[in-house]
Amino acid sequence: MHRRRLTDKRIYTCVCLLVFLVTTSEAGCQDAGKCCTGRDPSCVSTGWRADRSYGTCYCDQACVSTLDCCHDYELACPAVSCVVSEWTMWSGCAVPCRATVRMRSRKVLVEPHNRGEPCPYLEERAGCADYMDHHRQCHSSLVPALITTGGYGNARKKRDIPDIGDVIGYCVQFELTSLTGGCQHSVGPHTRWMQYLREGHRVCVECQPPALVAGHKHCTGDGEVEDEGRRQSLQWQAVGNPRCRGVWRRVGRLDSCSCPTVHSFLFI
């Protein structure tokens, strides 16, 4: 009889535990209808927690850090990552005839929720130079001089230039004040000369008749027009490698180029 009572008691205990589990297993964020942003102590429910303990649990974003979320938090509060639009078109240069910036942007279509991926940056800026101002050519110091190795001049085909047959070319000496790292990564047979460019070096750049500005007796970017006794800072761009460019300071005009071969170039 005693053994039967003990067995009945055990069965009763198991039934009570089973009823408890069944009646409480559905408790959580979904049953409470709660899903809160940030830290919210009132966003609370009763149910199983992620650590398999039963009791008070939370349905706010902070519960992920405090490890006291209800077991169904991720189901009731799914992560929603930020969604943004496509980039707009690039704007024009902010200021004409100056090294300035252009801009493009995008907007948020879906805000992030519940520890979803945050929004990326919404604005992007890039360097910009506009060489025209209301359909007029800008001050030529802004226009970069296009240069190539002096060896190109040996095979260069001279085109006929009417009315300036007395122009035989000239040389301009510059001091390199800055250049991009892309010059050192020029490995092609026609761009290897760029590796010898160094800040502080003086270089000679020849202006041959085929490179003269139409209707003028000078090459683009040589600083000839703006020369008023000042040592000007001008921009240059290496032909064959758009990543090789920089700034040089005009030293002066020479009758002929006398720089070493690796420091002798041509205006294009």
Side-chain angles (χ1 to χ4, degrees):
M1 180 66 69
H2 176 72
R3 185 174 298 175
R4 182 177 179 182
R5 287 179 181 176
L6 183 59
T7 301
D8 291 344
K9 185 176 182 180
R10 287 177 178 175
I11 293 174
Y12 176 77
T13 302
C14 290
V15 170
C16 290
L17 179 60
L18 181 61
V19 171
F20 173 78
L21 292 174
V22 171
T23 56
T24 60
S25 63
E26 295 181 356
C29 298
Q30 282 188 309
D31 286 351
K34 293 185 176 181
C35 184
C36 311
T37 59
R39 182 181 296 276
D40 187 352
S42 65
C43 196
V44 65
S45 182
T46 302
W48 294 101
R49 292 190 289 263
D51 61 0
R52 299 182 181 180
S53 61
Y54 185 84
T56 300
C57 57
Y58 293 86
C59 304
D60 59 355
Q61 284 182 301
C63 73
V64 178
S65 301
T66 54
L67 303 178
D68 53 5
C69 295
C70 297
H71 70 283
D72 63 345
Y73 171 75
E74 292 186 358
L75 183 63
C77 308
V80 178
S81 297
C82 179
V83 178
V84 297
S85 66
E86 295 293 328
W87 287 107
T88 62
M89 297 292 291
W90 283 104
S91 69
C93 297
V95 182
C97 298
R98 280 182 53 191
T100 179
V101 295
R102 57 179 178 163
M103 185 181 70
R104 64 177 182 174
S105 62
R106 53 188 174 184
K107 60 183 180 180
V108 176
L109 301 178
V110 179
E111 293 283 355
H113 295 289
N114 307 325
R115 297 177 67 86
E117 290 294 326
C119 293
Y121 55 90
L122 303 176
E123 187 176 283
E124 188 173 63
R125 295 172 181 265
C128 181
D130 191 350
Y131 303 143
M132 299 293 291
D133 183 12
H134 298 98
H135 306 292
R136 296 174 58 185
Q137 187 74 27
C138 294
H139 198 269
S140 62
S141 62
L142 178 67
V143 182
L146 299 179
I147 63 170
T148 188
T149 176
Y152 174 71
N154 298 329
R156 192 181 205 176
K157 181 179 179 181
K158 309 295 191 297
R159 67 172 184 263
D160 293 330
I161 303 179
D163 302 326
I164 55 172
D166 58 324
V167 178
I168 59 175
Y170 59 91
C171 183
V172 182
Q173 190 175 52
F174 297 93
E175 180 182 342
L176 294 173
T177 57
S178 69
L179 65 155
T180 59
C183 298
Q184 305 304 313
H185 297 89
S186 302
V187 296
H190 301 295
T191 60
R192 193 174 292 118
W193 59 271
M194 303 175 193
Q195 297 178 4
Y196 299 101
L197 297 172
R198 296 289 187 278
E199 292 182 8
H201 283 182
R202 289 195 174 188
V203 298
C204 296
V205 189
E206 185 178 358
C207 176
Q208 294 181 347
L212 295 175
V213 178
H216 298 274
K217 296 183 179 182
H218 67 90
C219 290
T220 297
D222 68 351
E224 186 78 9
V225 176
E226 298 80 26
D227 189 13
E228 298 176 355
R230 298 172 298 143
R231 298 184 65 193
Q232 299 172 289
S233 290
L234 305 164
Q235 300 180 52
W236 58 268
Q237 166 76 59
V239 174
N241 181 1
R243 296 181 301 166
C244 182
R245 59 187 183 276
V247 176
W248 56 22
R249 191 179 301 277
R250 179 185 169 100
V251 177
R253 177 168 173 167
L254 306 174
D255 291 333
S256 61
C257 291
S258 58
C259 294
T261 302
V262 293
H263 293 155
S264 296
F265 308 110
L266 287 175
F267 287 110
I268 295 297

